[in-house]
Amino acid sequence: MALNNFRVGRPTTIPENGRLRFSQNKKQWSLTFIPKKELVARVQEEEPDYQPREGGIVLAEADANDGWLNIWPLNTTRLGDYPFRPKYRRPRLIRIEGMSGLGASSVYEALEVLNKLPPGFVRSPHAGLGLDYELRAIIDMLDDHDIDMLVVRSGRRDGLPFIDEKRNLVIAKVQFDEVRRAIRRVHAKSLDIAGEEKDRIAFNHLLSSADASAFPEQPPIYRKDGVVAMIGTRSADQLSSQDQTAIVSAAHAAVRPLTTRKPEAMLQLSRDIEVITLERLIEEMKKRLERDKTERPWQRFFEQNPFILRLAFGYPVMKMGDQISVGGTRFDGKGEKIPDFVMKAAATGNLALVEIKGPDEPLFGKEPYRGGVYAPDRELAGGVNQLLDQRHKLQMNLAVKKQESGIYDVEVYAVEGILVIGRTPADRDRQKSLELFRHDLKSVVVLTYDELLEKLENLHDFLQFSTAQEKPAKS
């Protein structure tokens, strides 16, 4: 794009590097720029191959009947790069449609028509027409995406903007004005911010460096709604790890005041976080089911994500700990009973035990015990008895353990055991055998890894549906 003569440090008068010629054909007229011969000669000295266009260069053309005005922006303002050539690589042509009062019969009347161009347009032919320099972002965008012509159409914005088959961008005049105002606002704000930052840099590098006690260093300036401007339209993966950490820290510090001022927004944020967290857990659990076949990595996984185990209960529970002794030590110190996890009912303190077996552990033997009925595998039956034994020892030893540990808010009214083992059988006979076996157990619940995963997915679907229902519809 050509430089702007009206920028700071440049002359405010427009040099007339040529003359204008008016021509008319019925209701159409055109305005042609004819560069001065001495300037053309100077250009040819620097560029011997340059040949001026015979008859001049058309700057503008209008049709009073159809109400359109064509503009070919031209570099007329300097003798630097590419003088007397198109001002932009693209678009070469800008058309304004739906204008009134386009009739002209002389150069002066044509200049009056050009003075009716919308705000944001260069109106002087000697400045080369086109768009104001401050709107160069529009031109750069059109050039980057190979838009050959910009059409600004007066009237309603229905169906606009669009790009036609000739790579022309058609927009409404009101849309152009909206973009122009927005760019101007950003430009003015940027100048203000730049001025403040320059003052701060000068202060810190000079006064503060000379005497920090008298002139403490000024921190970066916080501006209201700056966070929205910087990250409101960005996704997390576009931010650096430091920025992501800073956002989390700032959000953590703002939780209490925001909960009071904007409770609905904080509730919505909480649900969004829950949905995203569940999505992560679901994907991780699916990957682990393909990779981790033994119980030890799953014990670590549930240690890090005790929320998953809480889904196994039909009432609110909290994790009391993992690898907690429930008693059973013999006189020789052997025989200690340690379940994988101990959970506590939130309301009553009643304890529950959780035992983890691997997802590859078989639930039943390979052959049916009798027609269509399978006997439980050694790991399944052993896991159930293991929990029952731990339950028995816990009930016998609880009083001593409460006294020795100083923990008194736990009870063993009815200790429930949860056994997580294997995968859900695919065939109907084994599914029937699983249901017959586990539903006849009184104090042990047997869950497969697939069922835990399904609980996660069901909760995710519920929260996602609730979140979608409560979000306001976009207008």
Side-chain angles (χ1 to χ4, degrees):
M1 177 180 289
L3 294 178
N4 178 16
N5 278 336
F6 298 100
R7 297 180 72 186
V8 176
R10 296 186 180 275
T12 57
T13 58
I14 303 173
E16 295 189 2
N17 294 328
R19 61 185 178 88
L20 301 174
R21 185 180 69 196
F22 178 86
S23 58
Q24 189 172 20
N25 179 15
K26 296 182 180 181
K27 289 294 182 178
Q28 290 188 0
W29 58 262
S30 62
L31 199 63
T32 302
F33 177 81
I34 303 174
K36 292 181 178 180
K37 292 182 179 179
E38 60 269 26
L39 296 180
V40 171
R42 286 175 57 185
V43 172
Q44 289 177 325
E45 289 177 3
E46 298 180 4
E47 303 178 51
D49 294 335
Y50 172 73
Q51 293 296 327
R53 184 175 300 175
E54 186 176 350
I57 308 164
V58 177
L59 282 176
E61 185 180 57
D63 189 310
N65 287 337
D66 293 339
W68 54 258
L69 172 65
N70 286 342
I71 294 172
W72 287 270
L74 181 68
N75 184 4
T76 64
T77 60
R78 62 190 180 94
L79 289 177
D81 297 332
Y82 308 113
F84 311 134
R85 293 179 177 86
K87 188 181 287 188
Y88 319 130
R89 192 178 73 91
R90 283 190 179 89
R92 294 291 181 89
L93 172 63
I94 300 175
R95 167 175 283 201
I96 297 92
E97 296 181 347
M99 288 185 66
S100 58
L102 289 178
S105 56
S106 66
V107 169
Y108 301 105
E109 290 181 1
L111 294 178
E112 290 180 0
V113 170
L114 294 177
N115 278 330
K116 298 177 183 178
L117 283 169
F121 280 82
V122 177
R123 296 173 179 175
S124 170
H126 290 290
L129 300 178
L131 300 185
D132 289 346
Y133 183 80
E134 286 73 17
L135 303 181
R136 61 191 179 277
I138 297 176
I139 296 300
D140 291 341
M141 178 270 298
L142 298 175
D143 188 12
D144 290 342
H145 297 282
D146 298 328
I147 302 299
D148 293 319
M149 180 168 73
L150 173 64
V151 180
V152 180
R153 185 172 293 173
S154 298
R156 298 171 63 88
R157 66 168 76 200
D158 296 347
L160 301 177
F162 69 88
I163 299 174
D164 65 17
E165 67 280 359
K166 296 181 179 179
R167 299 290 298 172
N168 301 326
L169 175 62
V170 184
I171 66 174
K173 180 176 176 292
V174 64
Q175 291 167 335
F176 175 81
D177 199 53
E178 289 170 354
V179 173
R180 176 187 67 84
R181 291 176 183 272
I183 291 175
R184 288 278 168 85
R185 285 195 298 270
V186 170
H187 182 71
K189 185 179 293 186
S190 299
L191 292 177
D192 292 341
I193 293 174
E196 293 174 356
E197 287 297 321
K198 289 175 184 177
D199 293 342
R200 188 179 70 86
I201 291 171
F203 181 92
N204 290 342
H205 281 261
L206 301 177
L207 294 181
S208 183
S209 295
D211 189 347
S213 59
F215 305 100
E217 183 173 327
Q218 296 179 353
I221 301 168
Y222 169 75
R223 294 174 176 84
K224 185 179 179 181
D225 297 331
V227 174
V228 173
M230 289 302 298
I231 68 171
T233 58
R234 291 169 171 81
S235 62
D237 56 4
Q238 294 175 300
L239 302 173
S240 69
S241 59
Q242 293 91 338
D243 285 339
Q244 293 176 20
T245 300
I247 291 170
V248 172
S249 299
H252 182 75
V255 164
R256 288 189 180 277
L258 286 175
T259 302
T260 303
R261 296 173 190 168
K262 297 182 179 294
E264 298 86 358
M266 291 302 294
L267 179 60
Q268 184 62 56
L269 175 61
S270 175
R271 289 184 177 177
D272 288 342
I273 292 173
E274 288 173 349
V275 169
I276 294 170
T277 303
L278 280 171
E279 289 174 353
R280 181 189 64 81
L281 282 176
I282 289 168
E283 289 304 313
E284 184 174 357
M285 192 166 178
K286 287 179 178 178
K287 291 177 182 178
R288 284 180 175 272
L289 284 173
E290 298 297 324
R291 181 186 72 215
D292 298 333
K293 306 302 183 182
T294 60
E295 63 186 70
R296 186 57 195 149
W298 283 100
Q299 288 171 347
R300 291 194 296 268
F301 177 65
F302 291 133
E303 287 170 11
Q304 297 166 357
N305 302 282
F307 165 77
I308 301 176
L309 292 179
R310 294 203 293 269
L311 291 178
F313 295 84
Y315 48 89
V317 296
M318 61 185 69
K319 177 183 164 187
M320 184 178 173
D322 44 84
Q323 301 294 307
I324 291 178
S325 170
V326 296
T329 307
R330 300 187 322 209
F331 287 116
D332 60 5
K334 298 180 181 180
E336 185 73 24
K337 303 297 181 180
I338 301 177
D340 289 325
F341 298 95
V342 176
M343 313 294 285
K344 181 176 71 171
T348 65
N350 189 53
L351 296 180
L353 307 176
V354 180
E355 193 65 33
I356 305 297
K357 303 296 182 183
D360 259 18
E361 295 292 351
L363 300 181
F364 302 100
K366 294 182 179 180
E367 301 297 330
Y369 177 73
R370 291 282 162 79
V373 177
Y374 288 80
D377 184 82
R378 178 176 179 274
E379 285 297 323
L380 174 57
V384 170
N385 274 342
Q386 183 181 4
L387 277 169
L388 291 174
D389 186 42
Q390 292 169 356
R391 173 176 179 264
H392 173 64
K393 295 298 190 297
L394 178 61
Q395 289 170 327
M396 291 178 58
N397 294 280
L398 181 67
V400 174
K401 289 190 172 293
K402 289 169 70 171
Q403 183 66 34
E404 294 295 329
S405 64
I407 300 174
Y408 299 100
D409 61 341
V410 293
E411 302 294 343
V412 286
Y413 300 128
V415 178
E416 185 176 16
I418 301 287
L419 176 62
V420 180
I421 183 172
R423 307 294 297 270
T424 301
D427 63 285
R428 187 171 181 272
D429 286 342
R430 285 184 173 84
Q431 289 176 356
K432 178 185 72 173
S433 297
L434 173 62
E435 298 299 347
L436 289 173
F437 174 76
R438 67 181 176 180
H439 282 290
D440 202 43
L441 299 174
K442 292 184 179 180
S443 54
V444 175
V445 174
V446 176
L447 282 175
T448 66
Y449 282 82
D450 296 298
E451 289 170 326
L452 267 185
L453 177 61
E454 187 175 359
K455 283 177 177 287
L456 279 177
E457 291 174 331
N458 288 341
L459 180 58
H460 169 267
D461 293 343
F462 171 76
L463 288 176
Q464 192 173 48
F465 175 78
S466 300
T467 299
Q469 290 291 95
E470 294 188 11
K471 283 185 178 179
K474 294 182 179 180
S475 57

